[in-house]
Amino acid sequence: MGYGIAIVGSGPSGLYMAEELLKHFPEASIDIIDALPTPYGLVRGGIAPDHQTTKAVVRAFERTFARRNVRFLGNVEVGRDLSYEELKAAYDLVVLSIGAARDRRLGIPGEDTPGVYGAAAFVGWYNGHPQHRDLSPLLDGEALAVVGNGNVALDVVRVVAKTPAELSDSDIAAHAQRALAAARFRDLYVIGRRRPLDASFTPLELAEFGQLERCGVVVHDARLTNDVVPETSEKELKVKLRNLEILRRFAASGVDGKPCRVHFVFQAAPVEVLGGERVRALVLERTRVEEGRAVRTGERFELPVDVVVAAIGYTTVPFPGVPFDDSRGVIANDEGYVEPGVYAAGWCKHGPRGVVGTNRTDAQQLTKRILTGLESTPPPGGKPGGVLIDRLLSRRAVRVVDFARWQRIDAAEVACAAPGKPREKFVTIQEMLEIE
Ligand code: NAP
């Protein structure tokens, strides 16, 4: 008899965990539970719709779901349909891989003005996440600012910057495709509070701005120098120098008569959003960098913008009963260990960092950690496993979406896509559940 294992969250961290655990426990029965009827977490709802090659990782995840001892329990929300206590009572091992779905707040006056959005909501909106499909961002202005210098910030600006033709082979949600096609932005700002060297975006993503059909790039006030802190690793240094090289190239080439501009503004910290009914401007304060930190200088300036998107990181949304580390915004854990029989994996363990593939290495490490903790885990077979969960879900009339049903939803999305688009996503749970 094998272990009964629940993995909560069917994104990359959960799915790599399933694969790693099966290497060590081939007889285990693994239930992968997700609140949505659709699997794959950020691969579906986070990765930019125009980055289709990154989404090809789902082919590998499909092979995990094809295993005889792996089930998908979609449309099952822990905290609503099942409790954390019930999971612990049912399974020998529970792995929480629930990601980090909540936007960090800027913490500045005016943050709640209409026209200010968090990146999780904005990205969720254009990616057709059911929770964010009704965001209806205000896109009728001329200027938009994205705060943050990570890859999420670049994703947001690039998607907004692209023309309908440039998005025609993406899987952007139809409502966002229409809204962005009607938008008339002329200035898109990417705001970093530190220097170009300190940015966490990566060269491949940065270089894409050099190929936009209607947008040129302006690099503002940037000290494009190589004064890297000595402890920077060789790998990091290579990335940073490559970023600098690309920014220098942008600075040298100008906007080339294009009607829209993407501005990179560095060493500017957001201090206030102005506007009553809706955003009128973002107030920024110049910074200098001391010991790696952005220190404000007192010199302020106003950027007249109509929309502000804060792409400054995410925190985990816990469910009741799960120990939580408020200061870090993650599930309280010690290298993944939460409490006997319970582990955390991925962004809910260590915060939002790394790319899809990083989760594979993380899963290998966490599996090792689980193996060392096995002495304190009772032998397999002592708990009822998925049988108890099935009974509870049936009693509560939860409409569980299994993997075969997801495949039918998937096929229906592909079937109704416009020519060139890989799929047209269903954006309500209702629509998804109508596919029998
Ligand atoms: P991130 O890389 O950590 O970037 C967050 C940015 O927000 C940083 O530039 C940070 O500046 C800034 N920030 C934080 N608090 C701020 C504040 N109060 N005011 C102004 N700026 C603030 O996070 P992310 O962009 O959300 O990405 C999350 C992870 O997903 C990353 O590992 C990323 O590489 C990955 N991702 C990858 C891709 C891709 O590969 N194409 C696409 C999207 C996301 P400081 O550095 O000064 O703190």
Side-chain angles (χ1 to χ4, degrees):
M1 164 140 326
Y3 282 108
I5 301 176
I7 295 179
V8 186
S10 67
S13 66
L15 283 157
Y16 282 123
M17 274 309 292
E19 273 304 311
E20 282 307 313
L21 288 168
L22 284 168
K23 283 183 195 160
H24 297 276
F25 309 114
E27 294 310 312
S29 297
I30 302 190
D31 286 347
I32 301 178
I33 299 170
D34 203 292
L36 289 177
T38 55
Y40 311 136
L42 281 187
V43 176
R44 180 179 168 98
I47 291 177
D50 59 337
H51 278 180
Q52 287 297 313
T53 38
T54 319
K55 294 185 185 230
V57 68
V58 301
R59 298 284 94 80
F61 296 156
E62 283 168 351
R63 290 196 287 279
T64 303
F65 278 119
R67 291 174 183 273
R68 62 173 168 80
N69 46 349
V70 175
R71 299 196 303 170
F72 176 55
L73 304 184
N75 197 36
V76 175
E77 188 173 326
V78 179
R80 180 192 67 187
D81 304 316
L82 290 172
S83 72
Y84 177 53
E85 295 307 319
E86 286 164 343
L87 283 183
K88 288 191 287 181
Y91 297 98
D92 300 303
L93 265 182
V94 176
V95 176
L96 304 172
S97 49
I98 56 175
R102 182 177 288 159
D103 280 300
R104 276 194 188 281
R105 287 183 54 87
L106 285 163
I108 58 175
E111 180 166 18
D112 295 316
T113 307
V116 181
Y117 309 101
F122 198 85
V123 169
W125 169 73
Y126 63 58
N127 272 331
H129 191 294
Q131 196 189 333
H132 301 297
R133 74 193 163 89
D134 292 327
L135 186 75
S136 300
L138 298 167
L139 301 177
D140 54 342
E142 294 212 335
L144 169 146
V146 178
V147 179
N149 261 185
N151 279 325
V152 171
L154 296 196
D155 278 352
V156 170
V157 174
R158 188 185 66 256
V159 168
V160 173
K162 281 194 167 181
T163 61
E166 287 175 299
L167 290 171
S168 62
D169 58 355
S170 76
D171 66 353
I172 187 167
H175 59 241
Q177 194 171 18
R178 280 192 299 274
L180 289 171
R184 291 289 171 264
F185 290 114
R186 299 179 64 80
D187 294 287
L188 305 169
Y189 295 89
V190 183
I191 314 282
R193 64 178 168 182
R194 294 191 289 153
R195 304 163 303 178
L197 266 181
D198 306 304
S200 54
F201 49 61
T202 41
L204 211 60
E205 285 66 25
L206 181 61
E208 285 184 71
F209 286 87
Q211 291 144 25
L212 294 173
E213 204 177 293
R214 72 181 179 104
C215 289
V217 181
V218 183
V219 182
H220 289 263
D221 314 321
R223 289 179 53 222
L224 298 171
T225 52
N226 298 3
D227 42 356
V228 183
V229 287
E231 57 267 27
T232 310
S233 72
E234 211 171 303
K235 194 172 158 207
E236 261 185 294
L237 182 64
K238 220 169 140 189
V239 170
K240 288 176 184 300
L241 294 182
R242 184 87 188 95
N243 277 345
L244 281 188
E245 195 184 307
I246 296 166
L247 287 167
R248 282 195 196 111
R249 205 175 65 219
F250 287 159
S253 60
V255 292
D256 224 5
K258 293 184 175 177
C260 177
R261 292 160 294 271
V262 173
H263 305 257
F264 284 86
V265 179
F266 296 96
Q267 293 188 245
V271 288
E272 187 172 0
V273 176
L274 301 180
E277 301 277 293
R278 56 179 293 176
V279 175
R280 180 170 61 74
L282 176 64
V283 183
L284 296 160
E285 188 165 325
R286 286 266 161 238
T287 67
R288 59 174 183 273
V289 177
E290 281 176 13
E291 291 172 359
R293 294 175 61 86
V295 179
R296 292 187 187 174
T297 60
E299 184 196 337
R300 293 188 174 189
F301 62 102
E302 268 182 38
L303 204 61
V305 293
D306 308 279
V307 181
V308 175
V309 180
I312 59 167
Y314 305 130
T315 63
T316 292
V317 184
F319 35 75
V322 177
F324 199 69
D325 179 341
D326 284 307
S327 63
R328 295 175 57 219
V330 297
I331 291 172
N333 73 91
D334 173 15
E335 289 177 36
Y337 172 83
V338 178
E339 56 177 308
V342 183
Y343 292 83
W347 284 10
C348 70
K349 164 178 163 253
H350 51 61
R353 59 177 158 78
V355 292
V356 172
T358 317
N359 290 288
R360 186 202 288 273
T361 329
D362 279 358
Q364 287 162 350
Q365 283 165 2
L366 184 59
T367 303
K368 272 195 203 143
R369 176 82 170 81
I370 292 175
L371 289 170
T372 59
L374 272 189
E375 308 90 71
S376 57
T377 308
K383 294 199 180 177
V387 177
L388 170 63
I389 293 303
D390 290 350
R391 211 163 42 228
L392 290 172
L393 292 172
S394 152
R395 198 185 301 154
R396 292 166 191 166
V398 178
R399 296 176 69 187
V400 180
V401 172
D402 63 12
F403 196 68
R405 180 120 171 252
W406 150 248
Q407 286 178 308
R408 293 194 289 278
I409 297 173
D410 183 26
E413 288 190 340
V414 172
C416 56
K421 277 186 95 173
R423 68 177 60 243
E424 193 55 70
K425 286 180 186 166
F426 295 127
V427 298
T428 67
I429 307 258
Q430 186 57 35
E431 287 170 300
M432 296 172 193
L433 296 183
E434 275 165 15
I435 309 288
E436 285 302 331

